[in-house]
Every structure is written in C-alpha cells, then in structure tokens.
C-alpha cells in the first residue's frame, strides 16, 4: 500500500513588517524602515536619537549640515574615545562630545526622504510632519576574517543596524481656557492653611 500524500502548505511570499511604535489609528502618519543596513549601529543610534522630535524640514536640514561638517551629532551613549567640539554647544550636549558620521547620516537622510515620499502619496501635508519615532537596533553581526601573525585568524565582524522612522502630523495641543485658569485652586500646605485660619479668626496677642 502506498503511503498517504504529504500535505503541502502554502508559504506566504511576504511578511508583515512590525514597528516598535504603534501610532494611534486616528493620527495621520508615514513610515519608513531599513533592515540589516551595512552601517554601524552606534553611529545610527546617536543620529536617530538627535533627530527625534524635530520637524521634518529641520531634521533634513540638520543631516545635510552634518554631511557638510557644518553641524555635529552629539554622542550621549557611546562616548568612548569621542572628542569634543564647539559645534556641540549649540545643542547643549553634555561634555560637548560628538562626531560627523557620514555614512549613518546619509542613510537616515534617505529614509527621511522615503518617509516624506510616502506621506505625499497618502496626501499628507509635509510641512506639518514631525519625527515622532526614530529608533535604531543592532542587527545580526556579519562575519569576516582578518589574518594575524604566526598563521592565526581572528574574527573581523561588522555591526549592521535596523532603523525605523515614523512621521506624524504636528499636534499643538489644546490650550486651557480662561475659566479653567480662574477655577484653578492653589494647594496650600498645613502651615499655610493654619496661618490663614489664624488671620481670619483674628488670633494672636497684641
């Protein structure tokens, strides 16, 4: 007797891309992502951390200045061996430590332009977009080898990165009304409350 046929399961051709930040469904946003990018994740982390919260136009202008060595990227986490420069005083960087990472800035600038193009396709106003989420993660190390003395071989690894950027429409928030400000009651400490009661009751020796 012949064995039963082996069932064949259809494999999906593409997988859904997940982001670490999930914006609200009511908020208009645009996304861009790069995986296993051949650029050092430490430099990418500092660049993405710097542009987070900037408006889109300001972030693009900043990265173009970094490429022209007119502005420096502050290094706040990976600061080993990082030199100081007067350009970092503009951003009030602790210790004024920073560099001009060319490859990382170029790739992240391309991702910003990609997210901007996606926003234009969705009919969003580009001038009102802000970098709500920008993050860099370590990717799997890529292995190479280097040759040492006496016939030895050492690993020579590269440190690629995963980068994701989300642009959202700038929200100015709701201003408080005049009535709410008038209704706001100032909280008093016990000593202040006792002092007011003493004044109202007319206590104290004269």
């Amino acid at each position: 007797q012949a064995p039963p046929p082996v069932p064949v399961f259809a494999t999906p051709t593409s997988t859904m891309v997940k982001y670490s930040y999930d914006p609200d469904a009511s908020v208009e946003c645009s996304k861009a992502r790069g995986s296993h990018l051949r650029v050092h994740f430490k430099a990418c982390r500092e660049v993405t951390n710097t542009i987070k919260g900037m408006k889109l136009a300001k972030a693009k202008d900043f990265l173009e200045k970094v490429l022209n060595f007119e502005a420096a990227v502050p290094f706040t986490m990976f600061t080993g061996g990082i030199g100081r420069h007067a350009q970092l005083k503009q951003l009030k960087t602790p210790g004024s430590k920073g560099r001009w990472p060319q490859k990382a800035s170029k790739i992240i600038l391309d991702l910003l332009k990609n997210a901007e193009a996606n926003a234009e396709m969705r009919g969003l106003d580009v001038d009102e977009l802000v970098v709500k989420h920008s993050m860099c993660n370590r990717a799997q190390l890529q292995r190479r080898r280097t040759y040492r003395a006496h016939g030895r071989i050492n690993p020579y690894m590269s440190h690629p990165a995963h980068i994701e950027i989300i642009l959202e429409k700038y929200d100015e928030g709701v201003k408080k009304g005049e009535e709410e400000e008038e209704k706001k009651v100032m909280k008093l400490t016990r000593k202040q409350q006792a002092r007011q009661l003493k004044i109202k009751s007319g206590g104290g020796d004269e």
Side-chain angles (χ1 to χ4, degrees), residues 35 44 55 80-81 101 114 118 137-138 147 165 179 184 203:
S35 299
C44 291
K55 285 196 170 182
N114 190 2
N118 294 339
N137 290 326
R138 298 175 190 244
Y147 301 93
I165 292 174
E179 297 180 359
K184 189 176 180 181

Side-chain angles (χ1 to χ4, degrees), residues 7-59:
V8 178
F9 299 98
T11 57
T13 56
S14 62
T15 57
M16 179 68 79
V17 177
K18 290 185 179 180
Y19 286 77
S20 60
Y21 171 76
D22 190 17
D24 190 29
S26 62
V27 178
E28 296 177 333
C29 66
S30 174
K31 301 178 182 180
R33 180 187 173 94
S35 299
H36 301 283
L37 300 176
R38 193 67 177 269
V39 58
H40 206 291
F41 82 94
K42 290 185 179 181
C44 291
R45 184 268 166 195
E46 304 295 353
V47 176
T48 53
N49 186 59
T50 304
I51 66 172
K52 188 184 299 180
M54 290 185 181
K55 285 196 170 182
L56 176 60
K58 184 179 179 182

